[in-house]
């Protein structure tokens, strides 16, 4: 006895289904989907970059304005990479400021101070103007005693801080 197979089963078995991945696929809808996804990701990235900008500005730990004998003012800015040496940096800035007050005048408008993490090297960057041009000077001074006691009026004269 021969079994009869219903006709709808024969048709479905003989033709490949359009939902199977084995048949030819039109790549245009997939490509469009990928492009739309990339554009969406780009848009979200731009939105967050504009909403939450990253600032490269470094804020000084402290600022002091020192008035010289001539009335000229010099801004002393303190910068620290860690909290380890902040008290020594502040004490050093006080020494520099008191020595600066003894100067009659100076070509420098700003003095930037930092101390190394090991508390042995004082970095002073001076910024000012000479003959209408920007003038910069970087000074690195070492102190193994870590007291920065060498900073006085004579030292400032020696590095030509006071003119």
């Amino acid at each position: 006895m021969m079994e009869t197979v219903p006709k709808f089963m024969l048709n479905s078995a003989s033709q490949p289904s359009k939902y199977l991945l084995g048949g030819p696929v039109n790549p245009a809808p997939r490509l469009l989907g990928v492009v739309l996804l990339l554009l969406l990701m780009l848009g979200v990235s731009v939105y967050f970059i504009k909403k939450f900008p990253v600032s490269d500005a470094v804020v000084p730990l402290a600022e002091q304005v020192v008035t010289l004998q001539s009335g000229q003012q010099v801004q002393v800015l303190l910068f620290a990479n860690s909290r380890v040496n902040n008290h020594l940096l502040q004490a050093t800035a006080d020494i520099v400021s008191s020595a600066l007050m003894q100067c009659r005048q100076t070509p420098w408008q700003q003095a930037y101070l930092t101390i190394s993490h090991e508390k042995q090297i004082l970095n002073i960057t001076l910024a000012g103007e000479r003959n209408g041009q920007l003038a910069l000077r970087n000074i690195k001074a070492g102190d193994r005693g870590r007291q920065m006691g060498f900073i006085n009026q004579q030292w400032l004269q020696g590095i030509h801080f006071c003119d």
Side-chain angles (χ1 to χ4, degrees):
M1 194 158 132
M2 185 175 214
E3 288 185 33
T4 59
V5 179
K7 190 174 184 178
F8 70 88
M9 289 183 93
L10 285 174
N11 287 341
S12 66
S14 64
Q15 290 181 335
S17 172
K18 64 179 179 179
Y19 300 109
L20 295 176
L21 293 177
V25 177
N26 185 358
R30 279 190 187 169
L31 183 61
L32 181 63
V34 169
V35 169
L36 287 176
L37 182 64
L38 289 173
L39 286 174
L40 178 66
M41 288 171 43
L42 178 65
V44 169
S45 298
V46 169
Y47 169 78
F48 279 105
I49 287 172
K50 290 198 181 248
K51 182 146 178 97
F52 306 106
V54 177
S55 175
D56 290 344
V58 177
V59 179
L61 173 69
E63 294 182 37
Q64 299 175 358
V65 176
V66 177
T67 304
L68 306 184
Q69 292 175 355
S70 65
Q72 177 187 355
Q73 293 188 331
V74 177
Q75 188 178 26
V76 179
L77 302 148
L78 313 179
F79 290 90
N81 288 334
S82 69
R83 295 185 183 128
V84 174
N85 55 12
N86 289 355
H87 64 283
L88 182 60
L89 181 60
Q90 185 62 54
T92 303
D94 292 341
I95 294 169
V96 169
S97 296
S98 65
L100 262 174
M101 283 189 243
Q102 304 305 311
C103 294
R104 189 170 125 25
Q105 66 181 2
T106 183
W108 312 111
Q109 282 89 35
Q110 292 96 19
Y112 302 90
L113 277 67
T114 62
I115 292 182
S116 67
H117 190 69
E118 306 84 33
K119 302 177 185 177
Q120 292 184 354
I121 298 176
L122 170 67
N123 296 298
I124 302 175
T125 300
L126 304 171
E129 188 176 301
R130 287 191 178 169
N131 302 323
Q133 298 289 324
L134 175 66
L136 295 172
R137 182 156 185 220
N138 193 30
I139 301 164
K140 292 184 183 279
D143 186 10
R144 294 198 188 271
R146 299 180 182 165
Q147 300 299 317
M148 301 298 166
F150 62 89
I151 301 170
N152 55 32
Q153 185 64 30
Q154 291 80 21
W155 186 77
L156 289 177
Q157 293 284 341
I159 64 167
H160 303 288
F161 196 99
C162 301
D163 281 339

